[in-house]
C-alpha cells in the first residue's frame, strides 16, 4: 500500500475550470462557453492588451535576468499595487502600516492569507457569503479553516437580504475571519450599497471580526475608484484587514498568475511583524513569486502614459460587459422567458446568476452545448453578438420544461 485509498477514487472535476476542459473537448459546432470568468472580444478571443505588449517590449529591451525575486515580491511592484488598490492620495496608498506581498494570482493571495492566519493562530472560523465563488470553501477548508456562511441575496437572487446577512454575521465570534467580495460579487453580480458596507463595518468593529476582502475585479464594475467603495465602510482608523487582489481580469493576464495580498495593520511595526509571518507562509508554499506578470503590471502602473492607455483599455472591457448585460436582458425579455431579468443589466462585473436547478444546467450542457456554472452562473463577458440568440433560445427551451 503506497498511495492513500482516497487517492484511488477520482475526485469530481473543478466546478469552473473543469467545465472549460469539458468545453474544449466538446466537438459540437456552436457550443457556447459561459463558465470561467474570462473576457472575450467580438471575435470570441481573449486578446493580449496593447499596453501589455508594449510593457513586454520594454521589459525585454532592458535585458533579462531570471534571478529569484524576494519572497514577498519586487519592491516596485508592491508599491505600485498599494497605490493602485487604495488610490493615489489615500492615506494608505503609501503608508508603512500596509504590508504588500506579490502572489500568484488572487487565488494565491487568498491561500497565503489563509496559511498566514492559521499559522499565526487566528480564529479557525471563516464566514463566507452563500453563494460564493466555488473555490472559496475548499481553499479555506484545506488550509484548516471551518467555514460558516452568511446569507447573501434574497430568493430572487437579485437583491441582497441585508437583515439576514447582518443577523448571521452578528453571530460571529471575536476574531473570526469574514470573507467579503470587494466588488463584482462572484457569482451574483450584486454588491452591497455604501450604507450596507458601513453597517458591515460597524458590525466588524463591534464584534472585533477580521475582514478579508477578495478584490479580484477592481475596475470591471463601474471604475477603478468606484469599485473600491467598500473601503469607506471597512477602512476605519485602527481597523485591521487583509485584501487579496488580482490582475488576471483587469490586465487580462490570466495565465501569468499575478496578484497581491495587502495587509492593513495598526502600525508600521505591526505590519512588519505580520509580514515576517506572511513570508514564512509564502516560502513554505512556493518559495517566491514568478516575476513576468508583476513586471508587466509595475511597468504599466509606473508609467503615466502607459497607465492612461491601459485605463482606456480597461474602460473598453468594462463598457463591453455593460453592453453585453443590456443585450442579454433584451434577448431574454424578447422571448418572454419568465423571470426577473431586468436587474442583470445593472449588476457589476463579469457574472450573473440565473437561478437554475442543477438539472437545468445539465440540460443546457447536454442538449444545447451551453456551459454555465453551478446554479446558472454565467460569464456575461463571454458573449459575442452571435451567441445571445442561441443562448436565449436554449434557456427558453430548458425553462419550458
Ligand atoms: C471564475 O470564477 O470563473 C474565475 O475567478 C476563474 C477561476 O479561477 O475560477
Amino acid at each position: 500500500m503506497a498511495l492513500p485509498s482516497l487517492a484511488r477514487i477520482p475526485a469530481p472535476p473543478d466546478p469552473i475550470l473543469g467545465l472549460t476542459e469539458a468545453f474544449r473537448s466538446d466537438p459540437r459546432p456552436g457550443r457556447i462557453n459561459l463558465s470561467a470568468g474570462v473576457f472575450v472580444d467580438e471575435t470570441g478571443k481573449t486578446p493580449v492588451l496593447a499596453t501589455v505588449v508594449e510593457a513586454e517590449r520594454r521589459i525585454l529591451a532592458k535585458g533579462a535576468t531570471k534571478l529569484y525575486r524576494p519572497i514577498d515580491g519586487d519592491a516596485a511592484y508592491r508599491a505600485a499595487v498599494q497605490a493602485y488598490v487604495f488610490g493615489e492620495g489615500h492615506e494608505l496608498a503609501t503608508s508603512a502600516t500596509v504590508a504588500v506581498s506579490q502572489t500568484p494570482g488572487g487565488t494565491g493571495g487568498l491561500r497565503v492569507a489563509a496559511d498566514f492566519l492559521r499559522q499565526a493562530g487566528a480564529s479557525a472560523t471563516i464566514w463566507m457569503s452563500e453563494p460564493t465563488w466555488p473555490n472559496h470553501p475548499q481553499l479555506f477548508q484545506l488550509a484548516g479553516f471551518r467555514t460558516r456562511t452568511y446569507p447573501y441575496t434574497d430568493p430572487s437572487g437579485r437583491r441582497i437580504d441585508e437583515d439576514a446577512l447582518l443577523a448571521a454575521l452578528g453571530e460571529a465570534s471575536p476574531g473570526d475571519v469574514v470573507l467579503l467580495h470587494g466588488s463584482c460579487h462572484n457569482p451574483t453580480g450584486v454588491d452591497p450599497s455604501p450604507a450596507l458596507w458601513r453597517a458591515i463595518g460597524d458590525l466588524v468593529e463591534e464584534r472585533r471580526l477580521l475582514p478579508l476582502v477578495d478584490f479580484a475585479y477592481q475596475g470591471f464594475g463601474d471604475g477603478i475608484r468606484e469599485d473600491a467603495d467598500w473601503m469607506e465602510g471597512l477602512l476605519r482608523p485602527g481597523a485591521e484587514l487583509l485584501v487579496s487582489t488580482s490582475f488576471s481580469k483587469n490586465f487580462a493576464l490570466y495565465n501569468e498568475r499575478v496578484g497581491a495580498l495587502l495587509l492593513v495593520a495598526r502600525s508600521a511595526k505591526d505590519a512588519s511583524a505580520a509580514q515576517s509571518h506572511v513570508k514564512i507562509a509564502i516560502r513554505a508554499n512556493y518559495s517566491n513569486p514568478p516575476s513576468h506578470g508583476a513586471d508587466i503590471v509595475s511597468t504599466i502602473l509606473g508609467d503615466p502614459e502607459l497607465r492612461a492607455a491601459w485605463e482606456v483599455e480597461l474602460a473598453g472591457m468594462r463598457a463591453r460587459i455593460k453592453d453585453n448585460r443590456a443585450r442579454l436582458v433584451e434577448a431574454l425579455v424578447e422571448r418572454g422567458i419568465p423571470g426577473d431579468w431586468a436587474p442583470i443589466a445593472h449588476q457589476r462585473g463579469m457574472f450573473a446568476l440565473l437561478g437554475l436547478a442543477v438539472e437545468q444546467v445539465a440540460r443546457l450542457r447536454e442538449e444545447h452545448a451551453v456551459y454555465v456554472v453551478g446554479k446558472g452562473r454565467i460569464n456575461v463577458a463571454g458573449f459575442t453578438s452571435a451567441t445571445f440568440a442561441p443562448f436565449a433560445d436554449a434557456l427558453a427551451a430548458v425553462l419550458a420544461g
Side-chain angles (χ1 to χ4, degrees):
M1 180 102 162
L3 286 174
S5 49
L6 185 60
R8 297 177 202 285
I9 305 165
D14 183 80
I16 297 175
L17 299 184
L19 285 174
T20 303
E21 286 167 28
F23 175 81
R24 287 201 180 117
S25 56
D26 187 333
R28 290 175 286 180
R31 65 206 201 279
I32 300 173
N33 187 10
L34 301 175
S35 58
V38 170
F39 175 89
V40 305
D41 66 13
E42 191 45 32
T43 67
K45 298 257 158 40
T46 303
V48 180
L49 301 186
T51 48
V52 167
V53 173
E54 171 57 18
E56 288 186 311
R57 193 192 61 74
R58 293 187 193 180
I59 293 162
L60 271 181
K62 261 202 252 168
T65 169
K66 299 292 181 190
L67 271 177
Y68 290 127
R69 289 292 167 86
I71 293 174
D72 51 2
D74 179 59
Y77 172 80
R78 295 193 288 133
V81 170
Q82 186 176 343
Y84 163 73
V85 169
F86 295 110
E88 312 283 343
H90 191 284
E91 62 175 307
L92 293 182
T94 53
S95 171
T97 60
V98 180
V100 183
S101 304
Q102 179 190 328
T103 59
T107 309
L110 292 172
R111 180 64 197 225
V112 168
D115 287 347
F116 154 71
L117 290 169
R118 294 299 303 124
Q119 207 177 291
S123 161
T125 301
I126 185 163
W127 294 75
M128 48 189 69
S129 63
E130 170 51 45
T132 193
W133 181 44
N135 203 25
H136 278 150
Q138 74 175 353
L139 186 154
F140 287 97
Q141 284 161 11
L142 288 173
F145 276 93
R146 181 173 56 243
T147 52
R148 301 274 313 262
T149 58
Y150 55 88
Y152 197 64
T153 48
D154 65 16
S156 76
R158 305 280 181 252
R159 276 164 294 276
I160 298 180
D161 188 340
E162 303 196 356
D163 293 341
L165 182 156
L166 293 171
L169 285 186
E171 284 174 27
S173 303
D176 282 0
V177 183
V178 184
L179 180 64
L180 298 155
H181 299 227
S183 67
C184 308
H185 184 270
N186 180 358
T188 64
V190 184
D191 286 337
S193 63
L196 180 58
W197 278 121
R198 274 194 299 280
I200 294 172
D202 287 344
L203 210 135
V204 159
E205 193 174 358
E206 201 179 289
R207 301 204 62 77
R208 288 180 290 126
L209 310 177
L210 179 63
L212 167 52
V213 180
D214 185 348
F215 199 22
Y217 299 93
Q218 188 175 6
F220 255 41
D222 291 330
I224 296 171
R225 296 288 20 110
E226 292 81 347
D227 291 359
D229 57 358
W230 59 269
M231 290 184 187
E232 218 193 294
L234 291 186
L235 290 178
R236 303 179 174 201
E240 294 172 313
L241 56 83
L242 296 159
V243 184
S244 171
T245 187
S246 166
F247 299 111
S248 296
K249 325 283 174 174
N250 48 15
F251 282 78
L253 285 171
Y254 303 91
N255 65 16
E256 295 294 351
R257 310 310 300 138
V258 52
L261 176 67
L262 300 95
L263 183 153
V264 181
R266 277 198 201 119
S267 65
K269 195 163 152 258
D270 280 4
S272 140
Q275 185 72 345
S276 66
H277 294 276
V278 170
K279 283 164 77 173
I280 292 172
I282 293 172
R283 177 71 170 134
N285 260 302
Y286 53 87
S287 193
N288 48 76
S291 63
H292 189 61
D295 287 349
I296 294 169
V297 170
S298 52
T299 302
I300 294 173
L301 292 181
D303 178 296
E305 258 179 50
L306 216 44
R307 177 174 175 142
W310 164 70
E311 287 196 23
V312 171
E313 292 189 281
L314 175 64
M317 291 192 278
R318 188 165 61 236
R320 179 173 167 81
I321 297 172
K322 280 187 189 290
D323 189 49
N324 281 359
R325 287 187 172 278
R327 295 179 73 182
L328 170 66
V329 170
E330 207 180 280
L332 301 181
V333 171
E334 226 171 60
R335 283 162 181 77
I337 303 175
D340 177 24
W341 310 118
I344 290 179
H346 310 291
Q347 293 170 354
R348 256 186 183 175
M350 301 183 109
F351 304 114
L353 199 56
L354 300 175
L356 303 178
V358 174
E359 308 77 60
Q360 292 171 321
V361 168
R363 282 188 58 204
L364 275 177
R365 192 170 57 247
E366 285 154 20
E367 296 169 22
H368 303 276
V370 171
Y371 288 72
V372 308
V373 173
K375 294 190 179 146
R377 188 198 80 168
I378 53 169
N379 168 29
V380 185
F383 284 101
T384 67
S385 296
T387 54
F388 292 107
F391 170 77
D393 289 340
L395 185 65
V398 163
L399 289 180

